[in-house]
Amino acid sequence: EAAVTQSPRSKVAVTGGKVTLSCHQTNNHDYMYWYRQDTGHGLRLIHYSYVADSTEKGDIPDGYKASRPSQENFSLILELASLSQTAVYFCASSDPGQGGEVFFGKGTRLTVV
Amino acid sequence: GDSVTQKEGLVTLTEGLPVMLNCTYQTIYSNAFLFWYVHYLNESPRLLLKSSTDNKRTEHQGFHATLHKSSSSFHLQKSSAQLSDSALYYCALSTYKVIFGKGTHLHVLP
């Protein structure tokens, strides 16, 4: 079964600190995505990637970097965490050649204090 | 570029009434897939319906949708809402990548 694993599942970070969220997929999918969800709101795309060693900006990339060192792994990096980045972060993968269904990880709850 | 529009941010209705959540899209690709995802509180979004076939009704878990390429629409419907249907619903378009709409909160009241 298609699987996307996120780590950590929750994290408390201090303002100004560096945070790295990791994502690993075993779906053999080319596309990977990072979304954030704020309480009561929908998903917003931060960064995505369609091939290893390359990333693309999504709709809200400011304050975030992404890294895709391999097809299976996709990280989201907050170099200087801010209070406004408190949210739930979802990683996902898809393959347009397989119908494009998106498979999501279980999410990471990030609290910046 | 590609886009997905869900005009309603919040739909509130009473249990037993019919549900209709609107979704329209724009794309130049004729072989696009359209999806509905359901997102319950404290869970991950999961697939509810998908379609790429024009004018064919797709059903799952009591919900149904028909892709109409002539009007670029893929509205989600259910004949009778249940309390357990309360969730966030996303319409999504897949061409070379996936684009999600902003989501519609469905709030079903007893």
Side-chain angles (χ1 to χ4, degrees):
Chain A
E1 181 170 313
V4 179
T5 305
Q6 293 182 232
S7 62
R9 291 294 316 282
S10 67
K11 182 173 180 64
V12 179
V14 295
T15 303
K18 182 176 180 178
V19 176
T20 299
L21 306 183
S22 300
C23 180
H24 178 81
Q25 57 113 347
T26 58
N27 305 328
N28 199 32
H29 287 168
D30 289 330
Y31 278 79
M32 295 188 75
Y33 310 83
W34 276 106
Y35 297 92
R36 70 175 276 174
Q37 185 191 25
D38 295 282
T39 303
H41 292 83
L43 298 171
R44 291 189 290 170
L45 181 63
I46 308 170
H47 285 288
Y48 68 98
S49 169
Y50 55 86
V51 67
D53 296 322
S54 177
T55 63
E56 305 291 332
K57 293 181 179 180
D59 300 321
I60 54 163
D62 293 345
Y64 302 94
K65 291 183 179 179
S67 174
R68 183 95 182 266
S70 65
Q71 188 194 41
E72 298 80 13
N73 296 293
F74 192 38
S75 298
L76 185 68
I77 303 143
L78 290 66
E79 295 278 4
L80 294 170
S82 67
L83 295 174
S84 64
Q85 293 176 312
T86 293
V88 177
Y89 291 84
F90 288 98
C91 178
S93 73
S94 74
D95 187 338
Q98 297 179 29
E101 180 180 349
V102 181
F103 294 87
F104 287 88
K106 295 190 175 185
T108 296
R109 185 173 297 276
L110 175 64
T111 303
V112 182
V113 298
Chain B
D2 294 349
S3 66
V4 175
T5 301
Q6 294 180 250
K7 288 187 175 179
E8 309 107 349
L10 172 65
V11 171
T12 301
L13 49 78
T14 303
E15 189 178 19
L17 292 180
V19 178
M20 182 164 174
L21 306 183
N22 291 305
C23 173
T24 56
Y25 65 93
Q26 283 190 312
T27 181
I28 61 172
Y29 296 95
S30 59
N31 60 344
F33 277 82
L34 271 294
F35 303 84
W36 278 100
Y37 286 82
V38 59
H39 193 179
Y40 294 104
L41 188 65
N42 297 324
E43 296 184 10
S44 304
R46 62 174 187 256
L47 180 67
L48 182 59
L49 294 171
K50 68 182 283 188
S51 179
S52 63
T53 305
D54 197 12
N55 298 317
K56 181 180 178 181
R57 175 171 162 142
T58 300
E59 299 189 41
H60 187 60
Q61 295 184 334
F63 287 89
H64 63 92
T66 302
L67 178 58
H68 292 294
K69 293 187 179 183
S70 60
S71 58
S72 298
S73 67
F74 190 57
H75 306 319
L76 182 68
Q77 299 183 69
K78 188 178 186 184
S79 59
S80 176
Q82 297 177 291
L83 294 175
S84 59
D85 293 331
S86 294
L88 188 55
Y89 291 81
Y90 301 104
C91 183
L93 166 71
S94 177
T95 54
Y96 60 96
K97 68 171 184 176
V98 177
I99 294 175
F100 282 84
K102 292 186 176 182
T104 299
H105 277 282
L106 176 63
H107 188 198
V108 181
L109 301 173

